[in-house]
Amino acid sequence: MTADTNGHHPAVRPRRIRFNYPVASLDRHYVAGDLVMSHVIAHLSAVFPEGEDFFVRSVRHFADQITDPELKERVKGFIGQEVSHGREHRELNDRLAQMGYPTARVDRMVRRQLKFVERRLSPLTCLAMTAADEHFTAVFAETLLSDERAQALLGDSEVRSMLLWHAVEESEHRSVAFDVYRAVGGSEKRRIRVMRVIRLTFPLSVVIYSLISLFSDRAAYHPARLVRSFAALRHSPFLTRAVFRRLGDYTRYGFHPDDHDNTALLAHWTTALFGEQGSLVDHLH
């Protein structure tokens, strides 16, 4: 079978890139000094390496069934990008662990959970999970790229640079797992049902594990600071109605990730980060 394509897709090419986090290069609460968001981002970073590996396995399982030449090339690019994301998040997670964040423990828990999922669920359901999770990451990635408030949270640290690179590549390959799922006969019913489960479990896991991480931090035992940090979540650019609407779009019959055009956004950030005067040109190898 061939993929159901919706027009032109952006190129999906892995970039050979490296980031560096020298000792003392990051503040303890590196997200604009915000207590809660620093732990939330640390938790998400801790989830990524095993999560990206799961995505790669889910897509690679069906790679031999893809006959569309364009989709086959996008799958290769997807795998290359996700492998790079896992590697770079492991580097960041090591640095966060040195700062007291429980990233290694989260990594082990996620590994066990995903191995359990793969034993209990079919490969097609695992692929549906990957497509749904890719929608989550793409929506949050494009929020980061399009909202100056989100960018401001990360200051000018190396974490900001890494997350912008990650966000660009998530936006580039946002529809690859989705198109593979369609190409191998995945149904709308299964796709939507899986997303409805993930819409509950994903936020719940973020809340639970971020709280576990947070309350291992002595700064969390200062009531005024903790209350201020939780109150600031009401104004988070990642928790707006527009973000929730985009996440909810996935459960509409006939939905495709490319329904939301990101061409101009990608063109801007590709130039800003990797163009001749791009801010991350010196990170490329």
Side-chain angles (χ1 to χ4, degrees), residues 58-74:
S58 299
V59 169
R60 185 178 276 151
H61 182 89
F62 293 96
D64 291 343
Q65 299 181 36
I66 303 300
T67 58
D68 181 275
E70 183 198 15
L71 183 54
K72 287 175 77 72
E73 285 302 309
R74 291 168 60 218

Side-chain angles (χ1 to χ4, degrees), residues 67-110:
T67 58
D68 181 275
E70 183 198 15
L71 183 54
K72 287 175 77 72
E73 285 302 309
R74 291 168 60 218
V75 166
K76 290 178 184 178
F78 169 86
I79 291 172
Q81 287 186 344
E82 295 290 54
V83 168
S84 296
H85 298 171
R87 181 193 67 230
E88 291 304 317
H89 274 282
R90 285 187 173 92
E91 291 288 334
L92 174 58
N93 293 342
D94 288 346
R95 183 70 189 92
L96 292 173
Q98 294 170 7
M99 294 162 61
Y101 291 91
T103 51
R105 184 171 61 177
V106 172
D107 182 78
R108 290 192 297 270
M109 289 189 295
V110 172

Side-chain angles (χ1 to χ4, degrees), residues 126-141:
C126 289
L127 181 59
M129 291 175 62
T130 295
D133 283 328
E134 284 289 310
H135 180 63
F136 264 90
T137 55
V139 169
F140 289 126

Side-chain angles (χ1 to χ4, degrees), residues 30-228:
Y30 56 94
V31 182
D34 187 275
L35 181 63
V36 172
M37 281 303 296
S38 295
H39 282 272
V40 170
I41 298 298
H43 165 69
L44 292 174
S45 183
V47 167
F48 273 122
E50 290 297 327
E52 307 281 24
D53 288 351
F54 172 79
F55 297 164
V56 167
R57 291 193 299 271
S58 299
V59 169
R60 185 178 276 151
H61 182 89
F62 293 96
D64 291 343
Q65 299 181 36
I66 303 300
T67 58
D68 181 275
E70 183 198 15
L71 183 54
K72 287 175 77 72
E73 285 302 309
R74 291 168 60 218
V75 166
K76 290 178 184 178
F78 169 86
I79 291 172
Q81 287 186 344
E82 295 290 54
V83 168
S84 296
H85 298 171
R87 181 193 67 230
E88 291 304 317
H89 274 282
R90 285 187 173 92
E91 291 288 334
L92 174 58
N93 293 342
D94 288 346
R95 183 70 189 92
L96 292 173
Q98 294 170 7
M99 294 162 61
Y101 291 91
T103 51
R105 184 171 61 177
V106 172
D107 182 78
R108 290 192 297 270
M109 289 189 295
V110 172
R111 184 185 307 121
R112 289 195 297 267
Q113 290 167 359
L114 291 176
K115 291 296 184 185
F116 176 79
V117 165
E118 288 176 292
R119 287 195 302 269
R120 297 295 299 271
L121 300 179
S122 71
L124 190 59
T125 297
C126 289
L127 181 59
M129 291 175 62
T130 295
D133 283 328
E134 284 289 310
H135 180 63
F136 264 90
T137 55
V139 169
F140 289 126
E142 290 174 12
T143 300
L144 173 61
L145 296 176
S146 60
D147 194 316
E148 292 182 356
R149 296 173 302 158
Q151 298 155 31
L153 287 173
L154 300 171
D156 58 359
S157 69
E158 190 79 335
V159 174
R160 179 184 189 273
S161 297
M162 194 270 270
L163 292 179
L164 287 173
W165 157 74
H166 191 166
V168 166
E169 294 198 344
E170 287 295 332
S171 299
E172 287 174 344
H173 71 230
R174 65 183 183 178
S175 62
V176 173
F178 188 100
D179 285 340
V180 172
Y181 176 79
R182 278 192 172 180
V184 299
S187 69
E188 288 286 88
K189 183 177 180 181
R190 186 195 302 253
R191 177 181 71 78
I192 292 170
R193 186 171 65 241
V194 166
M195 174 54 104
R196 284 176 175 156
V197 173
I198 288 178
R199 279 173 61 182
L200 295 175
T201 58
F202 178 83
L204 184 62
S205 67
V206 171
V207 169
I208 291 172
Y209 289 122
S210 295
L211 286 174
I212 291 171
S213 176
L214 183 66
F215 287 106
S216 66
D217 186 340
R218 294 172 67 179
Y221 294 89
H222 295 273
R225 183 176 182 184
L226 185 62
V227 169
R228 281 198 307 271

